Protein backbone atom coordinates (compact mmCIF):
# COMPACT_ATOMS: atom_id res chain seq x y z
CA UNK A 1 0.00 0.00 0.00
CA UNK A 2 1.13 3.54 -0.52
CA UNK A 3 0.22 6.78 1.13
CA UNK A 4 -0.61 8.44 -2.11
CA UNK A 5 -3.27 6.06 -3.33
CA UNK A 6 -4.81 5.63 0.09
CA UNK A 7 -4.64 9.00 1.71
CA UNK A 8 -7.11 10.75 3.93
CA UNK A 9 -9.28 13.48 2.49
CA UNK A 10 -7.86 16.96 2.93
CA UNK A 11 -8.92 18.03 6.45
CA UNK A 12 -11.27 20.92 6.92
CA UNK A 13 -9.45 24.23 6.60
CA UNK A 14 -6.51 22.55 4.86
CA UNK A 15 -7.24 23.87 1.43
CA UNK A 16 -4.87 23.13 -1.38
CA UNK A 17 -3.12 26.36 -2.32
CA UNK A 18 -2.91 27.22 -5.99
CA UNK A 19 0.50 28.32 -7.30
CA UNK A 20 1.56 29.69 -10.65
CA UNK A 21 2.50 27.10 -13.30
CA UNK A 22 6.00 25.57 -13.10
CA UNK A 23 6.05 25.79 -9.31
CA UNK A 24 8.55 23.19 -8.04
CA UNK A 25 7.24 20.80 -5.37
CA UNK A 26 10.13 19.24 -3.51
CA UNK A 27 11.35 17.73 -0.28
CA UNK A 28 14.58 18.46 1.57
CA UNK A 29 17.09 16.53 3.68
CA UNK A 30 20.78 16.61 4.53
CA UNK A 31 23.59 14.07 4.51
CA UNK A 32 24.67 14.71 8.10
CA UNK A 33 21.14 13.96 9.32
CA UNK A 34 20.38 10.93 7.16
CA UNK A 35 23.58 9.16 6.15
CA UNK A 36 25.57 6.79 8.36
CA UNK A 37 29.24 7.34 9.13
CA UNK A 38 30.20 4.28 7.07
CA UNK A 39 32.69 5.03 4.32
CA UNK A 40 33.29 8.66 5.21
CA UNK A 41 35.92 10.56 7.18
CA UNK A 42 35.42 12.09 10.65
CA UNK A 43 33.51 15.37 10.89
CA UNK A 44 32.81 18.32 13.18
CA UNK A 45 29.43 16.80 14.08
CA UNK A 46 31.00 13.44 15.02
CA UNK A 47 33.12 15.39 17.49
CA UNK A 48 30.05 17.16 18.89
CA UNK A 49 28.28 13.81 19.38
CA UNK A 50 31.22 12.51 21.38
CA UNK A 51 30.99 15.44 23.82
CA UNK A 52 28.86 14.30 26.74
CA UNK A 53 25.49 15.98 26.96
CA UNK A 54 25.79 17.79 23.63
CA UNK A 55 22.93 15.85 22.03
CA UNK A 56 19.71 16.01 24.01
CA UNK A 57 18.65 12.36 23.79
CA UNK A 58 22.22 11.05 24.03
CA UNK A 59 22.03 9.67 20.48
CA UNK A 60 24.75 9.99 17.85
CA UNK A 61 24.87 10.41 14.09
CA UNK A 62 26.50 6.97 13.60
CA UNK A 63 23.60 5.56 11.59
CA UNK A 64 20.96 8.27 11.14
CA UNK A 65 18.49 6.76 8.63
CA UNK A 66 21.09 4.82 6.64
CA UNK A 67 20.11 6.94 3.64
CA UNK A 68 23.22 6.28 1.57
CA UNK A 69 22.01 2.66 1.21
CA UNK A 70 18.28 2.99 1.73
CA UNK A 71 17.53 5.92 -0.54
CA UNK A 72 15.84 3.74 -3.18
CA UNK A 73 13.00 3.03 -0.72
CA UNK A 74 12.57 6.74 0.05
CA UNK A 75 12.72 7.75 -3.60
CA UNK A 76 10.11 5.15 -4.52
CA UNK A 77 7.62 6.59 -1.99
CA UNK A 78 8.40 10.17 -3.03
CA UNK A 79 8.10 9.42 -6.75
CA UNK A 80 4.80 7.70 -6.11
CA UNK A 81 3.59 10.90 -4.42
CA UNK A 82 4.60 12.91 -7.48
CA UNK A 83 7.40 14.80 -5.67
CA UNK A 84 9.32 16.66 -8.36
CA UNK A 85 12.60 17.65 -6.69
CA UNK A 86 14.85 16.41 -3.90
CA UNK A 87 17.05 18.87 -2.05
CA UNK A 88 19.66 16.54 -0.51
CA UNK A 89 23.22 17.38 0.51
CA UNK A 90 26.63 16.03 -0.34
CA UNK A 91 28.81 15.06 2.63
CA UNK A 92 32.13 16.86 2.28
CA UNK A 93 33.72 14.29 4.69
CA UNK A 94 32.69 11.52 2.27
CA UNK A 95 34.10 13.24 -0.82
CA UNK A 96 37.41 14.27 0.81
CA UNK A 97 37.66 12.07 3.91
CA UNK A 98 41.33 12.54 4.78
CA UNK A 99 42.61 15.77 3.33
CA UNK A 100 42.62 18.17 0.41
CA UNK A 101 43.24 16.99 -3.14
CA UNK A 102 41.42 14.50 -5.36
CA UNK A 103 38.13 13.01 -4.21
CA UNK A 104 37.74 9.59 -2.71
CA UNK A 105 36.35 7.70 -5.71
CA UNK A 106 34.03 5.46 -3.68
CA UNK A 107 32.70 8.45 -1.73
CA UNK A 108 31.90 10.47 -4.82
CA UNK A 109 30.35 7.41 -6.49
CA UNK A 110 27.67 7.34 -3.77
CA UNK A 111 26.29 10.64 -5.12
CA UNK A 112 26.72 9.57 -8.71
CA UNK A 113 24.36 6.67 -8.03
CA UNK A 114 21.99 8.78 -5.92
CA UNK A 115 21.61 11.39 -8.66
CA UNK A 116 20.97 8.69 -11.28
CA UNK A 117 18.38 7.06 -9.04
CA UNK A 118 16.54 10.37 -8.67
CA UNK A 119 16.59 11.07 -12.39
CA UNK A 120 15.37 7.55 -13.19
CA UNK A 121 12.33 8.25 -11.03
CA UNK A 122 11.62 11.65 -12.53
CA UNK A 123 12.88 13.54 -9.45
CA UNK A 124 15.17 16.52 -10.10
CA UNK A 125 18.26 16.49 -7.87
CA UNK A 126 18.94 19.77 -6.00
CA UNK A 127 22.15 19.17 -4.06
CA UNK A 128 23.32 21.45 -1.29
CA UNK A 129 27.10 21.42 -1.24
CA UNK A 130 27.57 22.46 2.37
CA UNK A 131 24.93 21.52 4.93
CA UNK A 132 27.09 21.87 8.05
CA UNK A 133 29.33 18.77 7.99
CA UNK A 134 33.02 19.75 7.84
CA UNK A 135 35.71 17.06 7.54
CA UNK A 136 37.95 17.23 10.60
CA UNK A 137 41.06 17.96 8.50
CA UNK A 138 39.49 21.15 7.07
CA UNK A 139 39.31 22.99 10.42
CA UNK A 140 36.55 25.51 11.08
CA UNK A 141 35.34 28.97 10.05
CA UNK A 142 37.48 30.91 12.51
CA UNK A 143 40.24 30.44 9.99
CA UNK A 144 40.34 31.91 6.49
CA UNK A 145 42.01 28.72 5.20
CA UNK A 146 38.73 26.85 5.07
CA UNK A 147 37.31 29.19 2.40
CA UNK A 148 39.38 27.96 -0.54
CA UNK A 149 39.14 24.38 0.73
CA UNK A 150 35.37 24.54 0.55
CA UNK A 151 35.49 26.05 -2.94
CA UNK A 152 37.87 23.31 -4.15
CA UNK A 153 35.54 20.65 -2.81
CA UNK A 154 32.58 22.34 -4.55
CA UNK A 155 34.47 22.26 -7.82
CA UNK A 156 35.21 18.52 -7.47
CA UNK A 157 31.51 17.79 -7.01
CA UNK A 158 30.48 20.05 -9.89
CA UNK A 159 32.96 18.30 -12.23
CA UNK A 160 31.50 14.91 -11.35
CA UNK A 161 27.77 15.67 -11.27
CA UNK A 162 27.52 18.74 -13.49
CA UNK A 163 26.52 16.68 -16.53
CA UNK A 164 23.24 15.76 -14.78
CA UNK A 165 22.68 18.25 -11.98
CA UNK A 166 21.50 21.68 -13.12
CA UNK A 167 20.37 23.28 -9.83
CA UNK A 168 22.91 23.90 -7.08
CA UNK A 169 22.69 25.26 -3.56
CA UNK A 170 26.05 26.29 -2.15
CA UNK A 171 25.48 26.83 1.59
CA UNK A 172 22.74 25.92 4.02
CA UNK A 173 21.97 28.49 6.71
CA UNK A 174 25.36 30.08 7.34
CA UNK A 175 23.55 32.20 9.96
CA UNK A 176 22.68 29.09 12.00
CA UNK A 177 26.27 27.90 11.73
CA UNK A 178 27.76 31.22 12.86
CA UNK A 179 25.37 31.95 15.71
CA UNK A 180 24.39 28.52 17.00
CA UNK A 181 27.82 26.98 16.39
CA UNK A 182 30.25 29.77 17.26
CA UNK A 183 28.32 31.94 19.75
CA UNK A 184 25.61 29.82 21.39
CA UNK A 185 27.56 26.54 21.72
CA UNK A 186 24.64 24.40 20.57
CA UNK A 187 25.90 23.31 17.17
CA UNK A 188 29.35 22.25 16.02
CA UNK A 189 32.01 23.43 16.75
CA UNK A 190 30.25 24.42 20.02
CA UNK A 191 32.09 27.69 20.71
CA UNK A 192 30.87 30.69 22.66
CA UNK A 193 32.81 33.65 21.42
CA UNK A 194 31.58 36.78 19.65
CA UNK A 195 34.85 37.05 17.72
CA UNK A 196 34.54 33.48 16.52
CA UNK A 197 30.96 34.18 15.39
CA UNK A 198 32.00 37.28 13.42
CA UNK A 199 34.87 35.35 11.84
CA UNK A 200 32.44 32.58 10.91
CA UNK A 201 30.08 35.11 9.29
CA UNK A 202 32.74 36.59 7.05
CA UNK A 203 34.54 33.34 6.24
CA UNK A 204 31.34 31.56 5.25
CA UNK A 205 30.44 34.47 3.00
CA UNK A 206 33.90 34.37 1.47
CA UNK A 207 33.85 30.56 1.07
CA UNK A 208 30.53 30.96 -0.70
CA UNK A 209 31.89 33.67 -3.02
CA UNK A 210 34.86 31.47 -3.95
CA UNK A 211 32.60 28.46 -4.47
CA UNK A 212 30.31 30.47 -6.79
CA UNK A 213 33.36 31.52 -8.77
CA UNK A 214 34.57 27.92 -9.10
CA UNK A 215 31.10 26.62 -10.03
CA UNK A 216 30.50 29.33 -12.61
CA UNK A 217 33.85 28.51 -14.21
CA UNK A 218 33.14 24.76 -14.19
CA UNK A 219 29.45 24.34 -15.00
CA UNK A 220 27.90 24.81 -18.43
CA UNK A 221 25.85 27.97 -18.87
CA UNK A 222 22.21 27.51 -18.04
CA UNK A 223 23.00 25.78 -14.76
CA UNK A 224 21.54 27.65 -11.83
CA UNK A 225 23.43 28.35 -8.66
CA UNK A 226 21.80 29.62 -5.50
CA UNK A 227 22.20 29.50 -1.77
CA UNK A 228 20.02 29.10 1.30
CA UNK A 229 19.60 31.18 4.45
CA UNK A 230 17.25 30.64 7.40
CA UNK A 231 15.24 33.88 7.52
CA UNK A 232 12.91 34.94 10.32
CA UNK A 233 11.18 38.24 10.95
CA UNK A 234 12.48 39.41 14.33
CA UNK A 235 10.24 40.73 17.10
CA UNK A 236 11.32 42.17 20.44
CA UNK A 237 9.77 40.39 23.41
CA UNK A 238 8.29 43.73 24.52
CA UNK A 239 8.41 47.48 23.77
CA UNK A 240 11.37 48.33 26.00
CA UNK A 241 14.16 50.27 24.30
CA UNK A 242 16.71 47.55 25.18
CA UNK A 243 14.69 44.78 23.64
CA UNK A 244 13.88 46.85 20.55
CA UNK A 245 17.64 47.40 20.14
CA UNK A 246 18.21 43.67 20.56
CA UNK A 247 15.68 43.01 17.77
CA UNK A 248 17.58 45.33 15.40
CA UNK A 249 20.81 43.59 16.26
CA UNK A 250 19.40 40.12 15.66
CA UNK A 251 17.90 41.25 12.38
CA UNK A 252 21.35 42.44 11.26
CA UNK A 253 23.13 39.29 12.42
CA UNK A 254 20.55 36.76 11.38
CA UNK A 255 18.68 38.14 8.36
CA UNK A 256 21.07 40.62 6.78
CA UNK A 257 24.69 39.60 7.48
CA UNK A 258 24.53 37.05 4.67
CA UNK A 259 21.90 38.32 2.26
CA UNK A 260 22.95 42.00 2.10
CA UNK A 261 26.55 41.32 0.97
CA UNK A 262 25.35 38.65 -1.46
CA UNK A 263 23.50 41.41 -3.34
CA UNK A 264 26.35 43.94 -3.10
CA UNK A 265 24.99 45.92 -0.14
CA UNK A 266 27.94 45.17 2.16
CA UNK A 267 27.50 44.41 5.85
CA UNK A 268 24.76 46.11 7.89
CA UNK A 269 26.11 49.21 9.69
CA UNK A 270 25.29 47.75 13.12
CA UNK A 271 27.85 44.96 12.74
CA UNK A 272 30.26 46.33 10.11
CA UNK A 273 32.88 47.41 12.62
CA UNK A 274 33.08 43.97 14.24
CA UNK A 275 33.52 42.33 10.84
CA UNK A 276 36.09 44.79 9.48
CA UNK A 277 39.18 43.04 10.94
CA UNK A 278 38.41 39.90 8.90
CA UNK A 279 37.91 41.61 5.53
CA UNK A 280 40.74 41.65 2.99
CA UNK A 281 40.85 43.75 -0.18
CA UNK A 282 38.56 42.32 -2.82
CA UNK A 283 36.54 40.12 -0.42
CA UNK A 284 33.30 42.07 -0.66
CA UNK A 285 33.38 41.99 -4.48
CA UNK A 286 33.93 38.21 -4.39
CA UNK A 287 31.03 37.81 -1.98
CA UNK A 288 28.57 39.89 -4.02
CA UNK A 289 27.73 37.01 -6.39
CA UNK A 290 24.06 37.88 -7.04
CA UNK A 291 22.87 34.27 -7.09
CA UNK A 292 20.50 32.90 -9.73
CA UNK A 293 18.00 32.27 -6.94
CA UNK A 294 17.79 32.70 -3.19
CA UNK A 295 16.67 29.84 -0.98
CA UNK A 296 14.84 30.76 2.18
CA UNK A 297 14.27 28.31 5.03
CA UNK A 298 11.36 29.41 7.16
CA UNK A 299 9.84 27.90 10.30
CA UNK A 300 8.60 30.84 12.41
CA UNK A 301 9.32 34.39 13.51
CA UNK A 302 11.92 34.87 16.23
CA UNK A 303 11.33 36.73 19.54
CA UNK A 304 14.35 38.24 21.27
CA UNK A 305 15.45 40.19 24.31
CA UNK A 306 18.62 41.85 25.48
CA UNK A 307 20.70 39.93 28.00
CA UNK A 308 23.82 41.80 29.09
CA UNK A 309 26.57 39.29 29.72
CA UNK A 310 25.44 36.87 26.99
CA UNK A 311 28.03 36.39 24.25
CA UNK A 312 26.34 38.77 21.80
CA UNK A 313 24.21 40.50 24.44
CA UNK A 314 21.03 38.91 23.13
CA UNK A 315 18.94 35.84 23.78
CA UNK A 316 15.92 34.17 22.30
CA UNK A 317 12.73 35.16 24.09
CA UNK A 318 9.32 33.56 24.36
CA UNK A 319 6.91 33.57 21.44
CA UNK A 320 3.38 34.74 22.29
CA UNK A 321 1.50 32.05 24.21
CA UNK A 322 -1.47 32.05 21.85
CA UNK A 323 0.55 30.76 18.89
CA UNK A 324 0.14 27.06 18.11
CA UNK A 325 3.21 24.94 18.94
CA UNK A 326 4.74 21.92 17.30
CA UNK A 327 7.16 19.59 19.05
CA UNK A 328 9.92 22.11 18.32
CA UNK A 329 8.98 25.54 16.93
CA UNK A 330 5.78 27.57 17.04
CA UNK A 331 3.51 27.98 14.02
CA UNK A 332 3.38 31.41 12.36
CA UNK A 333 2.37 31.36 8.70
CA UNK A 334 2.11 35.18 8.51
CA UNK A 335 5.87 35.43 9.11
CA UNK A 336 6.40 33.47 5.92
CA UNK A 337 4.51 35.94 3.72
CA UNK A 338 6.16 38.81 5.58
CA UNK A 339 9.69 37.59 4.88
CA UNK A 340 8.99 36.70 1.25
CA UNK A 341 7.60 40.19 0.62
CA UNK A 342 10.57 41.77 2.34
CA UNK A 343 13.09 39.84 0.19
CA UNK A 344 11.14 40.80 -2.91
CA UNK A 345 11.25 44.46 -1.93
CA UNK A 346 14.80 44.74 -0.53
CA UNK A 347 16.77 42.76 -3.11
CA UNK A 348 15.13 43.79 -6.39
CA UNK A 349 12.67 40.93 -6.75
CA UNK A 350 15.00 37.92 -6.80
CA UNK A 351 13.81 34.46 -7.79
CA UNK A 352 12.95 32.74 -4.49
CA UNK A 353 12.46 29.18 -3.31
CA UNK A 354 11.32 28.07 0.12
CA UNK A 355 14.09 25.52 0.50
CA UNK A 356 12.79 24.27 3.87
CA UNK A 357 9.66 24.47 5.89
CA UNK A 358 8.20 21.75 8.05
CA UNK A 359 6.82 20.61 11.39
CA UNK A 360 8.16 18.31 14.10
CA UNK A 361 5.10 16.62 15.55
CA UNK A 362 4.59 13.98 18.23
CA UNK A 363 3.30 11.51 15.65
CA UNK A 364 1.49 8.34 16.71
CA UNK A 365 3.24 5.09 15.73
CA UNK A 366 2.43 3.54 12.35
CA UNK A 367 -0.80 1.55 12.18
CA UNK A 368 -1.88 -0.55 9.24
CA UNK A 369 0.97 0.82 7.15
CA UNK A 370 0.37 4.52 7.70
CA UNK A 371 0.98 7.28 10.27
CA UNK A 372 -1.99 9.55 11.04
CA UNK A 373 -0.56 13.08 11.27
CA UNK A 374 -3.47 15.44 10.67
CA UNK A 375 -1.88 18.31 12.67
CA UNK A 376 1.12 18.37 10.35
CA UNK A 377 -1.27 18.56 7.39
CA UNK A 378 -3.15 21.50 8.89
CA UNK A 379 0.08 23.41 9.62
CA UNK A 380 1.47 22.72 6.18
CA UNK A 381 -1.75 23.89 4.56
CA UNK A 382 -1.51 27.19 6.46
CA UNK A 383 2.09 27.74 5.31
CA UNK A 384 1.21 26.92 1.71
CA UNK A 385 -1.57 29.45 1.89
CA UNK A 386 0.85 32.09 3.25
CA UNK A 387 3.29 31.35 0.44
CA UNK A 388 0.51 31.65 -2.08
CA UNK A 389 -0.55 35.01 -0.61
CA UNK A 390 2.99 36.33 -1.20
CA UNK A 391 3.08 34.94 -4.73
CA UNK A 392 -0.25 36.60 -5.47
CA UNK A 393 1.36 39.93 -4.47
CA UNK A 394 4.07 39.55 -7.07
CA UNK A 395 6.80 37.69 -5.18
CA UNK A 396 8.72 35.51 -7.63
CA UNK A 397 8.30 32.36 -5.57
CA UNK A 398 9.25 29.39 -7.73
CA UNK A 399 8.93 26.39 -5.46
CA UNK A 400 8.80 24.86 -2.00
CA UNK A 401 10.71 22.01 -0.39
CA UNK A 402 9.12 20.33 2.63
CA UNK A 403 11.52 19.57 5.50
CA UNK A 404 11.94 16.71 5.64
CA UNK A 405 11.47 13.73 3.34
CA UNK A 406 11.82 11.33 6.28
CA UNK A 407 12.17 11.56 10.04
CA UNK A 408 15.87 11.98 10.68
CA UNK A 409 18.58 12.92 13.18
CA UNK A 410 17.85 16.48 14.23
CA UNK A 411 21.32 17.72 15.21
CA UNK A 412 21.62 18.57 18.93
CA UNK A 413 17.99 17.46 19.42
CA UNK A 414 18.85 13.89 18.35
CA UNK A 415 16.04 11.61 17.18
CA UNK A 416 13.36 13.21 19.34
CA UNK A 417 12.01 15.53 16.64
CA UNK A 418 10.12 13.92 13.78
CA UNK A 419 9.69 16.23 10.79
CA UNK A 420 9.20 13.64 8.04
CA UNK A 421 6.48 12.98 5.49
CA UNK A 422 7.78 9.42 5.87
CA UNK A 423 8.15 7.75 9.26
CA UNK A 424 11.42 5.94 10.06
CA UNK A 425 11.47 3.21 12.69
CA UNK A 426 14.44 3.88 15.00
CA UNK A 427 15.33 0.19 15.40
CA UNK A 428 14.65 -1.35 12.02
CA UNK A 429 14.95 1.81 9.87
CA UNK A 430 11.75 0.66 8.10
CA UNK A 431 9.93 3.42 6.21
CA UNK A 432 6.18 4.06 6.56
CA UNK A 433 4.38 6.87 4.72
CA UNK A 434 2.42 9.42 6.74
CA UNK A 435 -0.93 10.91 5.71
CA UNK A 436 0.90 14.18 5.12
CA UNK A 437 2.74 12.60 2.19
CA UNK A 438 -0.67 11.94 0.68
CA UNK A 439 -1.69 15.55 1.32
CA UNK A 440 1.49 16.79 -0.34
CA UNK A 441 0.70 14.51 -3.28
CA UNK A 442 -2.78 16.03 -3.46
CA UNK A 443 -1.32 19.53 -3.64
CA UNK A 444 1.03 18.53 -6.45
CA UNK A 445 -1.68 16.75 -8.41
CA UNK A 446 -4.21 19.54 -7.96
CA UNK A 447 -1.78 22.17 -9.25
CA UNK A 448 -0.67 19.93 -12.14
CA UNK A 449 -4.29 19.37 -13.17
CA UNK A 450 -4.99 23.10 -13.21
CA UNK A 451 -1.85 23.72 -15.25
CA UNK A 452 -2.66 21.08 -17.86
CA UNK A 453 -3.76 22.57 -21.18
CA UNK A 454 -7.48 22.01 -21.72
CA UNK A 455 -8.27 19.55 -24.53
C1 LIG B 1 17.05 23.89 9.67
C2 LIG B 1 18.19 23.03 9.15
C3 LIG B 1 17.78 21.60 8.91
C4 LIG B 1 16.85 21.09 9.99
C5 LIG B 1 15.67 22.02 10.17
C6 LIG B 1 14.65 21.55 11.18
O1 LIG B 1 17.56 24.96 10.40
O2 LIG B 1 18.69 23.54 7.94
O3 LIG B 1 18.94 20.83 8.76
O4 LIG B 1 17.55 20.92 11.15
O5 LIG B 1 16.15 23.28 10.55
Amino acid sequence: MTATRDHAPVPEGATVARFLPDFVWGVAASAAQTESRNGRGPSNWDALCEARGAVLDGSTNALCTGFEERYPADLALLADAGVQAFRFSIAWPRVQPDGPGPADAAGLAVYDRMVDAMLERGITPWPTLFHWDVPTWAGDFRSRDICQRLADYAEIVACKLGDRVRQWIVLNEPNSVALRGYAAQVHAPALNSADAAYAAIHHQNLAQGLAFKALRATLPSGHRIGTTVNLQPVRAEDDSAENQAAAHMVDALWNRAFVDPLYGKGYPALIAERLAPFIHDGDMELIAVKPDFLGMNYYSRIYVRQVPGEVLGIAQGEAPQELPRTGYFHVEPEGLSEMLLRLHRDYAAPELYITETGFAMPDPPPRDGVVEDSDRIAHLASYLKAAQVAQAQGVRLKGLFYWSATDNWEWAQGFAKRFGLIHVDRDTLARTPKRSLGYFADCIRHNAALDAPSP
Side-chain angles (χ1 to χ4, degrees), residues 29-30 33 87 131-132 172-173 176 180 187 228 230 297 299 328-329 356 358 403 408-411 419:
S30 84
Q33 295 173 272
R87 175 179 173 237
H131 198 130
W132 301 359
N172 178 68
E173 298 189 3
S176 295
R180 298 202 176 116
H187 284 181
T228 281
N230 179 355
N297 294 351
Y299 291 88
Y328 201 4
F329 310 123
E356 285 180 26
W403 182 273
N408 57 33
W409 187 73
E410 182 50 39
W411 310 111
F419 278 92

Side-chain angles (χ1 to χ4, degrees), residues 219-344:
L219 295 168
S221 65
H223 283 225
R224 293 164 40 78
I225 312 169
T227 200
T228 281
V229 190
N230 179 355
L231 297 170
Q232 300 178 271
V234 185
R235 298 284 192 270
E237 223 182 33
D238 58 35
D239 290 340
S240 67
E242 308 81 66
N243 289 343
Q244 293 294 329
H248 287 301
M249 187 62 176
V250 172
D251 190 53
L253 283 165
W254 190 254
N255 293 323
R256 294 174 55 210
F258 298 90
V259 188
D260 279 10
L262 199 58
Y263 289 97
K265 293 173 166 228
Y267 286 121
L270 266 181
I271 55 174
E273 207 175 304
R274 292 298 301 265
L275 286 157
F278 303 104
I279 304 175
H280 294 195
D281 278 354
D283 281 5
M284 298 315 287
E285 290 75 18
L286 261 170
I287 291 171
V289 296
K290 302 200 177 61
D292 297 322
F293 61 88
L294 181 66
M296 164 171 121
N297 294 351
Y298 175 84
Y299 291 88
S300 57
R301 290 192 183 108
I302 187 170
Y303 293 81
V304 300
R305 64 195 147 91
Q306 195 175 76
V307 183
E310 273 294 313
V311 173
L312 293 162
I314 44 183
Q316 200 158 332
E318 283 299 314
Q321 282 310 316
E322 64 274 16
L323 293 173
R325 317 260 144 178
T326 67
Y328 201 4
F329 310 123
H330 56 276
V331 180
E332 249 183 323
E334 303 77 20
L336 177 60
S337 340
E338 179 184 338
M339 194 40 98
L340 287 169
L341 286 159
R342 170 173 157 179
L343 295 174
H344 182 75

Side-chain angles (χ1 to χ4, degrees), residues 79-117:
D80 196 32
V83 168
Q84 297 161 349
F86 197 139
R87 175 179 173 237
F88 63 111
S89 82
I90 315 266
W92 184 3
R94 193 178 289 289
V95 174
Q96 291 180 304
D98 309 312
D104 180 79
L108 203 48
V110 167
Y111 302 106
D112 213 31
R113 291 192 294 271
M114 220 179 255
V115 161
D116 284 345

Side-chain angles (χ1 to χ4, degrees), residues 356-372:
E356 285 180 26
T357 195
F359 310 92
M361 305 304 296
D363 294 329
R367 241 183 115 172
D368 301 328
V370 72
V371 171
E372 300 293 348

Side-chain angles (χ1 to χ4, degrees), residues 117-198:
M118 288 179 198
L119 291 169
E120 273 159 25
R121 289 171 176 81
I123 297 176
T124 306
W126 282 62
T128 302
L129 288 162
F130 178 69
H131 198 130
W132 301 359
D133 42 348
V134 183
T136 304
W137 64 262
D140 64 50
F141 287 100
R142 280 172 297 178
S143 156
R144 201 176 160 93
D145 295 345
I146 196 173
C147 303
Q148 191 58 50
R149 289 175 179 157
L150 194 147
D152 293 345
Y153 146 74
E155 185 176 341
I156 289 173
V157 178
C159 286
K160 182 70 178 177
L161 304 180
D163 57 339
R164 285 150 293 157
V165 168
R166 298 177 59 84
Q167 315 277 349
W168 300 84
I169 294 176
V170 174
L171 299 186
N172 178 68
E173 298 189 3
N175 51 347
S176 295
V177 171
L179 298 186
R180 298 202 176 116
Y182 290 74
Q185 248 183 324
V186 210
H187 284 181
L191 301 171
N192 62 341
S193 140
D195 272 345
Y198 283 110

